[in-house]
Structures are given as structure tokens and as C-alpha cells.
Amino acid sequence: MACVLLFSRILPFSHRLTRTSICLLSIFLSYLCYCALFPADTVMQKSGDPTPSCQRVLADGAKRRIQKSPSCVLQLEARPSSVEASRLKSDQRPLSTLHVDTPSPPMGNLKFGNKKLPNAIIVGVKKGGTRAVLEFIRIHPDVRAAGTETHFFDRNYDRGLEWYRGLMPRTLESQLTMEKTPSYFVTKETPQRISAMSRDAKLIVVVRDPVTRAISDYTQTLSKTPDLPSFQDLAFRNQSLGIVDTSWNAIRIGLYALHLENWLRYFPLAQIHFVSGERLITDPAGELARVQDFLGLKRIVTDKHFYFNRTKGFPCLKKPESSGSPRCLGKSKGRTHVQIDRDAIEQLRDFYRPYNVKFYEMVGHDFKWE
């Protein structure tokens, strides 16, 4: 009715307007009439779903509650659905129970596990095969190991346990932390210091025929110091009389029984495992099986992980699927030994024999170094 009256008032002046003006004016007046006859809230209420806009506001949660129209609020209060009622109840839960979305940190910044003091330590011996044992056992998924020798208990003890812990890799609760420093076995203070850290620490000692080990030690030193005196000059005080110089470190390390006595003052024999350096070459899977048993690990490292490298004369790890080449120890491992006079070797065997026999008795195993 209002639109009819409005048109009747404007009609007498229509001859003064252009056709374009009349069209625009008609559209504008039609829009005003439409708004007057069909309010927005009425249209929303008469649609097929009476509450879609309200549901969208509720789905956004309490943060957008202020955006709800008065008609929406009245409509919901008059006739809430079962779904909306449950949502309203959830909005009334204590803040502590409401889920709040927080941005996730970038995956590259995540650090899993914690740095722990080692559960097991390879304490010796130099040139016995300690690097091989560490490289072989660390392919086990439950073992993480420090890559370099820390020398904490013999050279860096004054830095403290937290410094030592910082050198360890991150491990999960189910994983073992390991490190290896071969000089620990012959350092007098080391057993007491490791015991002070953990009386439950498991110790691994890789031993080898002391005569062969001494020659290997000398060969390594000679490669770094070409002007080194001859092996015989260093090994004997008087070779004609067969007097061995036990002050030379290469000779002293092989006195396994004397060093072990010091360790047994602080650790029971059950917590020390001895690996045969000779069998580590001929049967690496067998030696690693015993190491895994000692550490309480499932036997995962088996013979399928090894192959014998004839060039180096040493076992290597077969290449993993993700790598293009097998993993062998460095150039310093498996090098050809310096040739030593046969008489000198026999004199050293005579010297070591009583110490070897005592060592066999102490550990309950004959390594057959004769």
C-alpha cells in the first residue's frame, strides 16, 4: 500500500525524468518496498532450516558469541535442538577441560629423548678392537653411543658429570647410552670414579694377545712418528738377558691381570664382559651376540650384518639400504704390522705367559694366546 501511494505522488512529475532515471528510481523503490515487506529475520526464520546461522556462530565457540543476532538468541532459547543443547553444555565446562588449539613447533626443532650418563662403557683396551665393537653394537636400535672418545674419567674428570652428560647422545627411556675410551682400563683412578657415578654400570673390555697388541700399538705410533726407535729397543731393557721394559706403555697395557685386580676392587666380575679381539675378526656375529646378551638386549645384530673384507683382513658392516657403500673401519684399522724379530716375539711370549694364565683364571676363560 505504501509503494502505491509513493508511486502516485511521483507519477505527475514523471514527464520531467529520463528513461534511465525512471528505471533506477523504480529499482530503488522496489528494493525499499521489498525490505519493508520481507524483513531479514523473517526470511531467515521461514527458510527450510530455522537455525543455520545460529549453528555457525555456535560452532565457532565462545570467542564469536557477540556476533549472534538478537533474533537468533531468542530462537535458540525458544526451541534448542539436541545437538545445540549438547554444544551449549560443552561451552559451560570449566576452562581447564576445554581444548585450546596451540601452534605446533616446527618438526626440525623437535628434540626427542634426553642426555643421560652412560649405562655401559667400553673401557679397554687400546688396539684390542674397541672401535669395531662400538661401531658394530651401535647399529642396534636400542643403543646410542658417543662418537668420540671422551676421556672423562682419565683426563677431564675435573670438568664434572654435567659436562660429561653433555657429550652423550639423546636417548629414549628404553635405549642404552654408551661410550668408549680404551685408556680407562689402565688408568688407576678410573674404576673408583666410574663406581662413584654408577655402581651398576656395565663394563666391556676387548682383549687381544698382548704380544700382537703391543706390535699393533707400535705400528700405529710409528706411522705418526717415523723417527721412533726400533720395537726391540723400546720393549727390552736388555734383550740378551730377556729383561722386558714394563714402563713402556705398549708393554704395560698387556698386563691384563694386574689391571683387572684394580677393577675388581670396585666392580663384581659379573658386571665386566670380556670380548676376544681375535674372535671379533673371525666370528663378529658370535662376539656381538654375547655382547648383546650382556647388555640385556635382544639379539638384533647378527651374521647378516657382516661380510669379511679381504683387503683389510677385517669384517665390515654390510651396506644399509639407505647407503651406497658398506661401512668399514678407517684406514688406521687393519694396517699391516711392522715385522719384528722372531726371537723378540718369543721372549715377549715367555714374559707374558704367567700374566696370561692368571688372567684366564680370574675371568674363567682361556683365550689361547700361546
Side-chain angles (χ1 to χ4, degrees):
M1 188 63 180
C3 291
V4 173
L5 292 174
L6 187 58
F7 275 114
S8 66
R9 295 287 184 134
I10 297 174
L11 189 59
F13 303 96
S14 61
H15 66 280
R16 300 179 183 178
L17 303 174
T18 64
R19 289 183 178 181
T20 304
S21 301
I22 293 172
C23 290
L24 293 174
L25 183 61
S26 299
I27 293 172
F28 176 70
L29 291 175
S30 299
Y31 174 73
L32 291 177
C33 293
Y34 179 84
C35 292
L37 293 174
F38 305 104
D41 289 345
T42 305
V43 173
M44 294 300 292
Q45 291 174 3
K46 290 182 179 180
S47 62
D49 184 1
T51 61
S53 63
C54 299
Q55 288 177 350
R56 283 196 296 271
V57 173
L58 286 172
D60 290 341
K63 291 186 287 186
R64 294 184 60 190
R65 189 183 299 276
I66 193 171
Q67 297 180 11
K68 291 191 284 187
S69 64
S71 60
C72 178
V73 174
L74 292 173
Q75 181 181 342
L76 287 174
E77 291 177 351
R79 190 169 56 85
S81 66
S82 59
V83 175
E84 292 160 357
S86 64
R87 288 176 177 172
L88 286 171
K89 289 181 181 179
S90 66
D91 285 347
Q92 295 172 0
R93 289 180 297 168
L95 290 176
S96 59
T97 63
L98 292 176
H99 173 72
V100 179
D101 291 331
T102 56
S104 300
M107 290 300 292
N109 294 335
L110 291 177
K111 293 182 179 179
F112 297 100
N114 300 301
K115 293 193 173 188
K116 299 180 292 186
L117 294 171
N119 312 93
I121 305 175
I122 301 174
V123 297
V125 298
K126 180 183 179 184
K127 305 309 296 178
T130 57
R131 172 55 62 180
V133 171
L134 184 70
E135 292 301 318
F136 294 164
I137 194 60
R138 73 192 306 182
I139 67 175
H140 196 293
D142 292 333
V143 174
R144 296 293 309 281
T148 58
E149 297 175 6
T150 68
H151 286 280
F152 173 67
F153 293 104
D154 59 349
R155 301 178 189 173
N156 298 300
Y157 194 64
D158 59 338
R159 292 177 179 264
L161 285 175
E162 287 308 307
W163 177 87
Y164 184 46
R165 188 198 305 272
L167 301 178
M168 298 300 116
R170 291 183 177 275
T171 51
L172 302 177
E173 190 64 30
S174 60
Q175 292 178 313
L176 290 178
T177 302
M178 293 185 65
E179 76 116 327
K180 77 105 177 172
T181 302
S183 56
Y184 287 165
F185 189 66
V186 298
T187 303
K188 184 178 180 180
E189 298 81 11
T190 298
Q192 187 275 330
R193 291 173 175 177
I194 295 179
S195 177
M197 178 192 73
S198 173
R199 292 185 178 181
D200 299 323
K202 293 187 175 183
L203 310 172
I204 297 175
V205 186
V206 189
V207 290
R208 185 182 183 185
D209 181 335
V211 177
T212 307
R213 196 221 65 81
I215 297 172
S216 178
D217 198 339
Y218 174 78
T219 301
Q220 183 184 52
T221 306
L222 185 64
S223 67
K224 301 175 182 178
T225 313
D227 58 347
L228 198 67
S230 70
F231 179 85
Q232 289 91 323
D233 289 343
L234 294 171
F236 296 94
R237 290 182 178 177
N238 189 324
Q239 186 177 358
S240 61
L241 298 176
I243 302 176
V244 177
D245 188 354
T246 56
S247 66
W248 186 34
N249 199 47
I251 295 295
R252 187 175 64 88
I253 291 174
L255 302 174
Y256 303 141
L258 298 184
H259 302 303
L260 182 57
E261 287 179 345
N262 186 35
W263 285 88
L264 292 178
R265 293 189 182 99
Y266 300 94
F267 291 95
L269 189 63
Q271 281 179 232
I272 308 176
H273 178 72
F274 298 91
V275 176
S276 168
E278 287 80 15
R279 284 202 305 269
L280 189 63
I281 297 175
T282 60
D283 182 21
E287 283 301 300
L288 264 292
R290 285 180 279 273
V291 171
Q292 291 171 94
D293 291 345
F294 172 70
L295 296 176
L297 300 171
K298 183 179 179 181
R299 289 190 178 186
I300 291 179
V301 184
T302 62
D303 55 358
K304 69 180 181 180
H305 291 91
F306 302 98
Y307 80 97
F308 190 80
N309 186 311
R310 297 186 180 278
T311 302
K312 295 181 70 67
F314 206 85
C316 295
L317 292 170
K318 291 181 180 178
K319 66 177 181 179
E321 295 180 358
S322 59
S323 174
S325 59
R327 289 171 53 189
C328 287
L329 299 180
K331 296 180 180 179
S332 64
K333 310 300 179 183
R335 62 162 63 92
T336 303
H337 290 175
V338 174
Q339 292 296 316
I340 305 299
D341 179 71
R342 173 58 57 181
D343 290 338
I345 292 177
E346 290 303 322
Q347 287 177 307
L348 287 177
R349 292 202 180 282
D350 292 339
F351 166 76
Y352 277 119
R353 186 171 293 110
Y355 295 100
N356 292 343
V357 171
K358 184 177 181 180
F359 179 66
Y360 300 162
E361 294 173 350
M362 293 174 72
V363 302
H365 180 79
D366 185 350
F367 288 89
K368 302 184 184 304
W369 289 328
E370 296 302 320

